Every structure is written in C-alpha cells, then in structure tokens.
Amino acid sequence: MWKEWINNVTSNIVIDEFWSQFSISVLRILLLIVIGRLLAWILHKSINKIVLEQLNVRHASQKRRITTIGKLLNNMVSYTIYFIIGLLVLSELGISLGPLIAGAGIAGIAIGFGAQSLVKDVITGFFIVLEDQFAVGDMISTGKFKGKVEVIGLRTTRIVNEKGEVHIVPNSLITEVTNFSLHAATVSLDIAIAYQSNLRYIMQIVKQCAETLEHEKIIGQPTVLGIQQFDKDEIVMRIEVQCEATYEDTVKRYMNERFKLTLEEHSLQMNEQS
C-alpha cells in the first residue's frame, strides 16, 4: 500500500499539470493576502478620515469617544478581514470549509463554557466605550494600575505609567475607574509678602508675570486672585491657573521658578507655600 501511495505521489509530481495547479494556487493565495491587506488599508484610511471629520465638527467632550471608537473599529476591521482571508486560504488549499465551520460551531459551544471571561472582557470593553468611561489618551487609575490609556481593545486595555511600564489589563477586571482627564485641574500658588512692602507695585509685577506664563500644560490665563489671608508677619497673595489633569506638580514647579525669578529681578522676595 505504501509503495502504491508513493508511486501515485511521484507520478503526480512529474506531471506538468500538477505544477501548473500548484503555481496557480500559490498565486491565488498571495493575491488573497495582498487583497486583504489592501482592503484593510483602505478601510482603515476611510475610518480615520471619518474620525478626523467628526473631530472637527464635534464638541470637545465628544472627541474622546470618537477617537476611541475609531481605534476600536480599526481593530474589528482587521480581525474580520484576516479571519475571512484565512478561510479563503484554507479553501484554496483544498480544505472543505463546510465540515470545518460545522465543527467550529460545535467546538465553539464547548469552548464557550470555558471562555466566559473572554466574553466578559469583550462586553465590558464595549460598555467602556459606549458609556465613555475613559478614552485613549486619558490618565486613569484602576486597581493597582495608574497611567495613560494607550489602547482600548476588544479584550484588553493597555495602560502606560509615567515610568514607561506597560500594563495590559483585561477589560473584565476594570470594575472601578478614576479618570483624571475629564476635567482640568487647578493649581494654586501662594506668595507671601511683608507688610511694609509696596502692595500695589508687587501685584502689578505679579500680574505682568502671570500674563507671560507659557507652558504646554497650562489651560487659559492664570488669575491673580489678590490677597488670600493675613498672617502674623506677612500678607499672602494667591494666583490660580488651570492645567491638564495630573500635571499639577509640573505646572506648579514652573510657576514657582518664573515668579521667583521675576520678583528677584525687581529686588523682591517671595515665599512659596504649599
């Protein structure tokens, strides 16, 4: 029997028709892969274009959700196209898809009982996007992880902390979230001045300095609120500014430096308070 099988294989190999069919199959498979990649590229470009158009006309509060949905759609398109291309390649290799699909359905039912966490991940990820709990680029804290959201996938969410460490968290484990990016943070800076100082002159210098503050994390113009309180030996003046969430310390250090240098240029002293 083995000799007969070997003879059949050998006879098929030497026939030109075999090589012709083999070459055609290889070309078809390569063509399917190229078409799949091209189709994915076109759909990704179309989705990105639609997202950009929506970002230009939507309110700022909706831009986060649109960006996240765009990335999620790109992932779904890629998975769908690659799955279909995989089936077509198997068909081109002579594998019957009917029994394969039927077997996959039966296996899917069996696997489903052991893949409940996977289903929970997908459903939770869907509601994260639908309810706009957080979006790509947001700074969040969930469980023991805190960082910027880099990717929201169908199954997992990728979080990068300030050290550059990447945490991949299953969506079903995200039960409680603190989102630091929904609202701007407020930074308060107190400047203590002596009672005998020229208050009007100092306030004028402080306002001029506040108007010239330029930092990528500052939102809007700082506000010089004026006298905050009277202490035993000094008067406390307060300046407030809004900045992007989680960058309060960075902005405050910048403000301390700028106000300190400005007051020193005018032979004045400041005392930073927490």
Side-chain angles (χ1 to χ4, degrees):
M1 182 178 67
W2 285 105
K3 291 183 178 180
E4 182 180 352
W5 181 80
I6 293 173
N7 291 331
N8 289 333
V9 172
T10 305
S11 61
N12 287 332
I13 291 177
V14 298
I15 298 176
D16 292 340
E17 183 179 354
F18 171 81
W19 288 108
S20 177
Q21 292 178 352
F22 178 78
S23 301
I24 293 174
S25 296
V26 171
L27 289 175
R28 286 179 177 174
I29 291 174
L30 292 176
L31 184 60
L32 286 172
I33 295 174
V34 171
I35 291 175
R37 295 295 298 272
L38 181 62
L39 182 60
W41 181 81
I42 292 174
L43 291 176
H44 287 169
K45 286 291 184 181
S46 300
I47 292 173
N48 292 337
K49 182 179 179 181
I50 294 173
V51 169
L52 288 175
E53 291 176 351
Q54 292 297 319
L55 289 177
N56 292 330
V57 299
R58 295 287 182 174
H59 189 269
S61 61
Q62 297 177 321
K63 292 182 178 180
R64 302 164 55 258
R65 183 184 298 183
I66 293 172
T67 301
T68 303
I69 290 177
K71 291 181 179 293
L72 198 58
L73 287 176
N74 280 331
N75 289 336
M76 294 177 63
V77 165
S78 297
Y79 294 148
T80 303
I81 290 177
Y82 294 149
F83 177 75
I84 294 174
I85 294 299
L87 292 179
L88 294 176
V89 169
L90 291 176
S91 176
E92 195 62 39
L93 293 174
I95 300 175
S96 178
L97 296 182
L100 185 64
I101 294 175
I106 297 174
I109 296 176
I111 294 174
F113 290 101
Q116 297 181 16
S117 61
L118 176 63
V119 176
K120 287 179 62 178
D121 290 338
V122 174
I123 294 176
T124 304
F126 173 77
F127 279 104
I128 286 174
V129 176
L130 182 65
E131 298 175 355
D132 197 22
Q133 298 176 13
F134 56 86
V136 174
D138 284 359
M139 184 69 68
I140 68 169
S141 173
T142 175
K144 60 180 181 180
F145 304 115
K146 179 180 179 180
K148 180 176 290 188
V149 179
E150 189 177 54
V151 175
I152 300 177
L154 291 175
R155 194 181 68 84
T156 61
T157 293
R158 189 185 305 169
I159 301 174
V160 182
N161 65 16
E162 55 188 17
K163 295 181 180 179
E165 299 171 342
V166 179
H167 302 291
I168 301 175
V169 185
N171 290 332
S172 60
L173 297 182
I174 304 177
T175 55
E176 295 181 357
V177 179
T178 301
N179 193 330
F180 301 99
S181 300
L182 289 179
H183 302 285
T186 300
V187 176
S188 298
L189 177 66
D190 290 343
I191 299 178
I193 58 178
Y195 277 100
Q196 63 270 22
S197 301
N198 188 331
L199 181 59
R200 293 183 182 274
Y201 177 66
I202 293 178
M203 290 189 65
Q204 180 181 356
I205 298 301
V206 169
K207 288 181 180 179
Q208 290 175 357
C209 180
E211 292 173 356
T212 60
L213 290 180
E214 292 183 0
H215 194 281
E216 59 180 2
K217 301 304 180 183
I218 288 180
I219 302 174
Q221 283 288 336
T223 302
V224 180
L225 299 180
I227 303 302
Q228 177 68 16
Q229 66 185 45
F230 293 94
D231 287 339
K232 180 179 179 181
D233 300 318
E234 57 196 10
I235 301 173
V236 179
M237 182 187 306
R238 173 163 294 183
I239 301 98
E240 285 189 352
V241 65
Q242 288 191 323
C243 69
E244 294 183 17
T246 73
Y247 289 97
E248 297 93 329
D249 291 339
T250 301
V251 171
K252 188 162 187 176
R253 285 193 294 267
Y254 167 76
M255 292 175 64
N256 278 331
E257 179 182 351
R258 287 296 307 275
F259 281 106
K260 175 70 172 177
L261 293 175
T262 299
L263 292 177
E264 284 183 350
E265 289 176 0
H266 295 80
S267 299
L268 300 170
Q269 298 294 326
M270 70 172 286
N271 178 31
E272 299 89 351
Q273 297 182 351
S274 57

